[in-house]
Amino acid sequence: MFNYIIKRFKKIVIRILALLFFLTFLLMVFLYLNYRLGDKYPNPNDVYTYITNNKTDTYLNENNKNFLKENDIRALRLDKNGKVIESFNKPREVKNKFEITDVVSFNRYYLADYPVFTYIVGDGIILFAYPKNSLDKLPFNYYNYQNLVFNMWLVVIFIVLFLLFVYVFYRMDIRDILKNIAPFQKAIDGLFEDDYEKLDESGELRDLALSINKANEKYNNLKKSQSKWIRGVSHDVRTPLAKISWELNKENKNDLDTKNIQDQVLKISNILEGLNLTMSLANIDKENFESKSPLKVIRKVIVDKLNENPKREIIFENRLRDPDIKLKMDPTLFYRMVENIIKNSLAYTEGKIYLIISNPDNQLIIRVLDQGCGVDEDIIKRINDEDLTNITRHGLGIFISKQIAELHDGKFSIENKDQGLDVSFIFDLVN
């Protein structure tokens, strides 16, 4: 949720920055173009300063004429009577004698469409004529107050419009955020309810939807598991308790079968131990698993079981192509996984037990086969369905092995064959 809000906030900020960048870019373009156009011709004041600083007995000497020629500027010097006494590149259409009205006119406006700038020199004037269509002359030397107010309001309006755009983008994003978050709020409120509606696992909030749906799925699985555990415990504990009760209700206490009572108490203890282990497996952190050799664990199981059952025969077939193969595991749990299957075969069969380990196609396969009569198909179905009802007596150890295999990201397979029960653990090897 936090990441989503951060992403949305970033979008808003990016849009605002994009608008600011765009406006700044336009302003820079405007200033640059004005600079380039204004820098094309020298400032009239600079021209006047250069001419006066470099004059000799005349203003328009060769040095100054070269300067004017380089900058494409024409020049005229008039005496106090308006007569042209010096000139450089004077246009033909410009007359040689000007009246005072002519001076006022071209000083304010143009001279034959040439923008001119006049300066007083001695008892006359000098004017510089720039090329046609090069510079514009403002026909006034004042600024209208109303125009100033109007332009100020224009700037304010532009700023308001900009802020309005930012606000519109902000409201759009907020609306989208609320629209997208609303289903998640509803889903969270009904996360543990029976009428929970699964969220759509697509779009920008896909990760959040997956997490919420997964949490609901885990909760439902937990409820189902608890229900199954309760049914299993209720069924399998009822019989030993009934036998204990029957023994304790005998009138003659000397007839009590204490051995039977102890056996029934042991059964109840084993059932509760197995159930506690299945519950604790759900809370184990796989991050603490280490890369260990499964071969060493399996050999230890076989040696321990043969020492406990010296009259039984456990045949080990090592078909590993890589004897140094390793798997991320908890050695104690991995030991228990294999031990449960072998113990089950030792308890309910009398023939040979085969344990085969191989690694074809980048997989590790541990296979246990016995020569018994197998188990009821109903028990196998309940183990695969994770239903503990009626399996706590004969199948709880197998179910625990299945859980341990899945905890190690492995697959579990169990089936009856003509020669007995065939149980396999399959793990993918990661290079």
Side-chain angles (χ1 to χ4, degrees), residues 149-272:
V149 174
F150 173 78
N151 288 329
M152 292 298 295
W153 275 110
L154 201 59
V155 171
V156 172
I157 291 173
F158 285 161
I159 294 175
V160 171
L161 288 176
F162 170 75
L163 294 176
L164 180 62
F165 275 119
V166 172
Y167 178 74
V168 169
F169 286 139
Y170 166 78
R171 293 301 302 176
M172 288 172 60
D173 281 326
I174 291 297
R175 183 195 62 189
D176 291 341
I177 290 174
L178 295 177
K179 180 181 177 181
N180 291 328
I181 289 179
F184 290 89
Q185 183 65 50
K186 181 180 178 182
I188 293 173
D189 292 339
L191 184 60
F192 304 124
E193 303 297 334
D194 294 333
D195 59 348
Y196 172 81
E197 295 182 8
K198 189 174 181 180
L199 290 168
D200 180 21
E201 297 177 354
S202 61
E204 293 179 319
L205 294 175
R206 178 177 179 274
D207 293 340
L208 181 58
L210 285 170
S211 298
I212 295 177
N213 287 336
K214 189 174 181 180
N216 178 261
E217 183 180 354
K218 284 185 177 179
Y219 172 74
N220 287 331
N221 291 337
L222 178 61
K223 285 202 304 183
K224 291 178 182 178
S225 297
Q226 288 176 340
S227 177
K228 293 173 183 177
W229 290 338
I230 292 172
R231 290 200 305 270
V233 172
S234 175
H235 179 274
D236 289 304
V237 172
R238 188 183 302 118
T239 301
L241 286 176
K243 291 182 178 180
I244 294 172
S245 178
W246 182 77
E247 289 289 344
L248 294 176
N249 286 331
K250 287 181 178 180
E251 294 182 2
N252 187 356
K253 301 302 181 182
N254 294 326
D255 295 335
L256 288 177
D257 187 350
T258 55
K259 180 65 168 62
N260 185 29
I261 293 175
Q262 290 175 351
D263 289 342
Q264 302 308 317
V265 171
L266 183 61
K267 286 182 181 179
I268 294 174
S269 176
N270 290 336
I271 290 171
L272 295 178

Side-chain angles (χ1 to χ4, degrees), residues 226-371:
Q226 288 176 340
S227 177
K228 293 173 183 177
W229 290 338
I230 292 172
R231 290 200 305 270
V233 172
S234 175
H235 179 274
D236 289 304
V237 172
R238 188 183 302 118
T239 301
L241 286 176
K243 291 182 178 180
I244 294 172
S245 178
W246 182 77
E247 289 289 344
L248 294 176
N249 286 331
K250 287 181 178 180
E251 294 182 2
N252 187 356
K253 301 302 181 182
N254 294 326
D255 295 335
L256 288 177
D257 187 350
T258 55
K259 180 65 168 62
N260 185 29
I261 293 175
Q262 290 175 351
D263 289 342
Q264 302 308 317
V265 171
L266 183 61
K267 286 182 181 179
I268 294 174
S269 176
N270 290 336
I271 290 171
L272 295 178
E273 180 188 358
L275 290 173
N276 286 332
L277 179 58
T278 61
M279 294 180 68
S280 65
L281 288 176
N283 299 319
I284 292 178
D285 186 6
K286 295 191 292 185
E287 296 297 325
N288 296 325
F289 286 7
E290 298 179 357
S291 293
K292 298 288 185 179
S293 170
L295 187 59
K296 291 182 179 179
V297 177
I298 292 171
R299 282 175 173 164
K300 186 176 188 308
V301 175
I302 294 173
V303 171
D304 290 346
K305 295 301 113 182
L306 286 175
N307 289 336
E308 295 172 5
N309 303 271
K311 295 183 179 181
R312 296 300 300 271
E313 188 175 2
I314 302 176
I315 301 173
F316 176 54
E317 295 184 16
N318 183 359
R319 301 177 184 175
L320 291 177
R321 291 174 293 184
D322 180 9
D324 297 324
I325 197 170
K326 291 187 178 181
L327 192 71
K328 289 201 71 173
M329 65 163 77
D330 181 309
T332 303
L333 291 177
F334 205 84
Y335 179 98
R336 181 69 177 270
M337 177 188 75
V338 179
E339 181 194 35
N340 284 349
I341 306 302
I342 295 180
K343 282 177 64 176
N344 193 72
S345 297
L346 289 170
Y348 298 104
T349 68
E350 296 181 356
K352 297 178 180 180
I353 300 171
Y354 295 87
L355 195 154
I356 305 168
I357 181 171
S358 59
N359 62 318
D361 302 325
N362 207 32
Q363 288 184 323
L364 174 67
I365 300 177
I366 303 170
R367 189 179 178 195
V368 180
L369 301 92
D370 61 36
Q371 295 180 332

